[in-house]
Amino acid sequence: MKNPFFKNYGPFKIEDILKSLDLPNIQNYRDDLINNVNDLSSAKKNEITFFNSKRYSSIASKTEATYCVTEKRLGEYLPKNCKKIYVDNVLLEMSQITSKFYPESINDNFDKSVKNISELDFENKIEYGENVLIGDNVKLGVNCSIGHNAIIEKNVVIGSNCSIGSNTIIRNTIIEDNVNILDGCVIGKKGFGFFPNNKKNLKYPHIGIVFIGKNSEIGCGSTIDRGSMSNTIIGKNTFLDNQIHVAHNNKIGDNCIIAGQVGFAGSSTLGNNVVIGGQAGISGHLKIGNNVQIGGGSGVIKDIPDNSKVMGYPSKNLRLFLKNK
Amino acid sequence: MKNPFFKNYGPFKIEDILKSLDLPNIQNYRDDLINNVNDLSSAKKNEITFFNSKRYSSIASKTEATYCVTEKRLGEYLPKNCKKIYVDNVLLEMSQITSKFYPESINDNFDKSVKNISELDFENKIEYGENVLIGDNVKLGVNCSIGHNAIIEKNVVIGSNCSIGSNTIIRNTIIEDNVNILDGCVIGKKGFGFFPNNKKNLKYPHIGIVFIGKNSEIGCGSTIDRGSMSNTIIGKNTFLDNQIHVAHNNKIGDNCIIAGQVGFAGSSTLGNNVVIGGQAGISGHLKIGNNVQIGGGSGVIKDIPDNSKVMGYPSKNLRLFLKNK
Amino acid sequence: MKNPFFKNYGPFKIEDILKSLDLPNIQNYRDDLINNVNDLSSAKKNEITFFNSKRYSSIASKTEATYCVTEKRLGEYLPKNCKKIYVDNVLLEMSQITSKFYPESINDNFDKSVKNISELDFENKIEYGENVLIGDNVKLGVNCSIGHNAIIEKNVVIGSNCSIGSNTIIRNTIIEDNVNILDGCVIGKKGFGFFPNNKKNLKYPHIGIVFIGKNSEIGCGSTIDRGSMSNTIIGKNTFLDNQIHVAHNNKIGDNCIIAGQVGFAGSSTLGNNVVIGGQAGISGHLKIGNNVQIGGGSGVIKDIPDNSKVMGYPSKNLRLFLKNK
């Protein structure tokens, strides 16, 4: 699933893309029209992708992308028919290309399209509080309840029987049926991604969305950032307590239980039936298996296999943790 | 003190209660009218209680409840005149019974009874900002100050000389005199309690309230959940810093000082004069004594006796912690 | 830089200051007019300062203040021409004196001066959402964007090209150009400072401000408290992620990157180019050097020299931490 919301300003000629980025066109690429940016596995013909770590060489070897931004040392892993664009900093250049296709994904200023819900025609289907604001291109299912001062900016889809709390802000998000988002949340904001630069950091575009599966609940004061190139996903029947932070690109499975003040650094994957105690932290780019239990306050910095119980900072097998203490 | 707010839909005949829960009525209980649900120590004649752990056998042996939901192995601890209802999952069945008496305690959708405060007759007593919303059955003392966009939903009592911050949401709460609730808090929301179920979790009703003693202060962005069967209590002259999470059923004593981002997992009791450093976490169902000092970042997973200083994860005696490091 | 915002109710005669605090005037100080309160290094002639720890004796020896509140044992470090006022509790008495000069710095009730921005004349310069409230003495640069329900209370200066998120509250703050404050923040509230007292804690006045340098970003749901006697400072091009708490008097340098849920206890100084992982905590009154890297979840309780990498609780050299685990 891709973000259906941001306007794609492409296609662009590959020659123009390289020129606008001040990249040398040593292979003399010319008129190929590029329709979209995409990750290695999702990219199709006439799309441009990127490849920046040997870790992904197996996926890279099967990419269908016509162009790939990569480093010279990685070129050999890509298929012959994939045209290489060699650069020094893959993510930086890819960020610029993404911004060219999706310029509206960088700026998260408030949505000027919102109207008071009482001026719109949702009235028969939902119950709503005072001062509720709704943007363009918002779809709401039947029997929804939307709290006071809630702001649902443009590009949001909410299923049936959902409850949105007061003072909650949602944008660039798809929510399935029977989901409760409690008070004071911010869902769908761009993630904390940028290229540090001593004068002025360069922001990474976030073209992903937040997706929340049916029957789930998000506690008060939680923040869930949308993805950069992929999506941030909360599975079905997964319950998050208050003051939780889910950074960009995390994928959380079904039937998970996550206690208060837990934080996810970004781009990690959680299996199903994972239970996490309060204030635990999950580092970035990890794979947490199914049926894993993580003790409160743990700092997880390594992958965790299925059916494990861990605790500690850094987290280790629970029995080992208790024995050491 | 019990929640004076939720409407009790009882009394119900015991026979009907069992039938509506699909429980077998093997003892052939019939026409006894049950007035209320209650915990073991508070329950009176013609009320129903529950007993699910040997830990509470001494309290159980003195309960005045007419009926008790329990497990077969625990029945022997209950008084003769207390009629037993044997079930496999005590909390699950008790949750259903509680929901029958207090159906409005499960759903925390926004309060439809609120009106803009300028339409109500508090004007002579208090100062208020823009867009302040007040629900039914709200009592406000003299000389209160209520910030912009604050939402005080139905069933709230606030004493005199209190200050409620902007963007703060309060429901099901009693606040004594001279209390400051700073900006962006959510007070009185249902706690994070439910029975995990692979298709759709079953929510636990929260019939408790939040009680905040006089002269106390709650920092910006904090969340205090109301209790499930008992109340969540903040004592007198107790100061909480910003971004603190107090889960359901915690009882915090008087004159406590709790620094930023501390989290309480639920159902723990703190004595008086307790000082807790920033980001510490207090696990559930613990007893923390009087005059205890807990270092910043600590993870407390055991009871702490009076007058102790602890630090670490898991927390230990401070001298031991410093020696080991 | 001092807080330009709070009204100074001075000058006061030194005799009257001592009388109003019930302090004995054993040196028989009389008619000297005191213009202001100030810290040891900033205080000028005809101002009053305080000195409460030997640590600051070198600064104390050069103070230009005419009066200094201090303890008897510290008097010898002060210059001859600085008149001493000996007390038992320096901070407590100084707090009372500060309150006399700046009575409006104690109370953080909502700002009654705010008006809906549509009634003011910012319209040509900025874009704004629904229900935006602006207080007296607010300056906004060109090309700013102010989100829905944002509250900019009196005494705020915002530069050009800034974006203020929806539901964000700002007071007593100066913000330079090109700064983004995301949704749901509370910036400029008084810090968590008071003198514990068993009946009713005594609040410490906060006459400092929050200062945010150009090109910086503050993530959703963050809280930044203003300083007590000095200011709370966020440097240039420094990016804070979501749910961060910066307590009073912290000074954070330029080009820092601070991940989600990090907390600063107060009065610490960070150099430039500091990177801090998620959920780390920085204790109070520390000096963190330039180019320091602090691992996620760390608890920092000691000064850190330039160019160090640390991790752990309490944090230690990263190599040592990894070796021990």
Side-chain angles (χ1 to χ4, degrees), chain B residues 141-145 159-163 177-180:
Chain B
V142 294
N143 297 321
C144 283
S145 159
S160 297
N161 306 309
C162 289
S163 172
D177 295 346
N178 302 311
V179 168
N180 297 319

Side-chain angles (χ1 to χ4, degrees), chain B residues 127 163 180 183 237 255 296, chain C residues 109 112 197-198 201 203 313:
Chain B
E127 292 189 318
S163 172
N180 297 319
D183 302 330
N237 199 40
N255 303 312
Chain C
N109 287 351
K112 280 175 275 181
N197 182 305
N198 255 351
N201 297 332
K203 286 183 197 160
Y313 168 68

Side-chain angles (χ1 to χ4, degrees), chain B residues 38-256:
Chain B
N38 230 324
D39 60 68
L40 275 170
S41 57
S42 314
K44 302 286 172 213
K45 204 174 169 231
N46 298 323
E47 294 186 348
I48 190 165
T49 189
F50 68 104
F51 173 37
N52 71 324
S53 161
K54 221 168 156 174
R55 245 176 116 165
Y56 303 117
S57 51
S58 144
I59 303 172
S61 69
K62 294 171 218 142
T63 189
E64 299 176 22
T66 299
Y67 283 89
C68 182
V69 177
T70 190
E71 294 175 44
K72 213 152 219 165
R73 64 181 178 95
L74 296 170
E76 59 176 307
Y77 299 101
L78 287 161
K80 262 194 185 162
N81 60 323
C82 175
K83 303 182 191 175
K84 289 88 187 167
I85 298 169
Y86 294 123
V87 300
D88 291 332
N89 188 330
V90 172
L91 291 177
L92 178 59
E93 301 299 347
M94 196 60 192
S95 153
Q96 309 264 40
I97 294 171
T98 305
S99 303
K100 190 176 171 73
F101 279 88
Y102 297 99
E104 288 149 16
S105 66
I106 302 177
N107 181 322
D108 264 36
N109 287 352
F110 76 92
D111 176 14
K112 280 176 275 181
S113 81
V114 302
K115 289 195 173 60
N116 192 301
I117 193 170
S118 62
E119 300 171 28
L120 302 169
D121 61 352
F122 295 112
E123 296 192 39
N124 300 323
K125 300 199 299 186
I126 62 164
E127 292 189 318
Y128 55 84
E130 301 293 316
N131 311 317
V132 170
L133 301 174
I134 306 280
D136 284 348
N137 191 26
V138 168
K139 290 185 180 61
L140 299 176
V142 294
N143 297 321
C144 283
S145 159
I146 304 186
H148 311 294
N149 303 332
I151 305 170
I152 302 184
E153 297 201 345
K154 63 187 172 198
N155 300 330
V156 170
V157 177
I158 295 179
S160 297
N161 306 309
C162 289
S163 172
I164 307 300
S166 297
N167 288 359
T168 279
I169 304 173
I170 305 179
R171 55 171 76 80
N172 299 302
T173 294
I174 295 177
I175 296 173
E176 293 194 325
D177 295 346
N178 302 311
V179 168
N180 297 319
I181 313 279
L182 306 190
D183 302 330
C185 292
V186 183
I187 314 284
K189 193 95 189 177
K190 74 180 173 59
F192 191 62
F194 55 91
F195 300 98
N197 183 305
N198 255 351
K199 284 286 158 64
K200 194 174 174 195
N201 296 332
L202 204 71
K203 287 184 195 157
Y204 200 92
H206 277 72
I207 63 170
I209 62 164
V210 172
F211 179 89
I212 302 178
K214 66 179 176 184
N215 300 327
S216 290
E217 181 169 295
I218 310 297
C220 300
S222 293
T223 52
I224 305 180
D225 290 344
R226 73 176 185 265
S228 49
M229 189 66 80
S230 73
N231 296 326
T232 303
I233 297 174
I234 310 292
K236 292 172 189 146
N237 199 40
T238 280
F239 274 41
L240 273 63
D241 196 359
N242 294 348
Q243 297 191 30
I244 283 175
H245 172 48
V246 181
H248 53 189
N249 307 321
N250 285 291
K251 329 276 187 213
I252 296 178
D254 300 340
N255 303 312
C256 295

Side-chain angles (χ1 to χ4, degrees), chain C residues 82-137:
Chain C
C82 176
K83 304 181 191 175
K84 290 87 187 168
I85 298 168
Y86 293 124
V87 300
D88 291 333
N89 189 329
V90 173
L91 292 177
L92 178 58
E93 301 301 346
M94 195 61 193
S95 154
Q96 309 263 38
I97 294 170
T98 305
S99 303
K100 190 174 171 73
F101 279 87
Y102 298 98
E104 288 149 15
S105 67
I106 302 177
N107 181 321
D108 263 36
N109 287 351
F110 76 93
D111 176 13
K112 280 175 275 181
S113 80
V114 302
K115 290 195 171 61
N116 192 300
I117 194 169
S118 63
E119 301 171 28
L120 302 168
D121 61 351
F122 295 113
E123 296 192 39
N124 300 323
K125 300 199 299 186
I126 62 164
E127 292 189 319
Y128 56 84
E130 301 293 316
N131 311 317
V132 170
L133 300 175
I134 307 280
D136 283 348
N137 190 27

Side-chain angles (χ1 to χ4, degrees), chain A residues 127 163 180 183 237 255 296, chain B residues 109 112 197-198 201 203 313:
Chain A
E127 292 189 319
S163 172
N180 297 319
D183 301 331
N237 200 38
N255 303 313
Chain B
N109 287 352
K112 280 176 275 181
N197 183 305
N198 255 351
N201 296 332
K203 287 184 195 157
Y313 167 68

Side-chain angles (χ1 to χ4, degrees), chain C residues 238-290:
Chain C
T238 280
F239 274 42
L240 274 62
D241 196 358
N242 294 346
Q243 298 190 30
I244 283 175
H245 172 48
V246 182
H248 54 189
N249 307 321
N250 284 291
K251 328 277 186 213
I252 297 178
D254 300 340
N255 302 313
C256 294
I257 300 174
I258 301 174
Q261 298 180 320
V262 164
F264 295 86
S267 302
S268 286
T269 303
L270 259 77
N272 300 324
N273 311 311
V274 174
V275 177
I276 307 182
Q279 295 186 328
I282 313 296
S283 287
H285 302 276
L286 299 180
K287 188 168 165 25
I288 312 296
N290 294 307

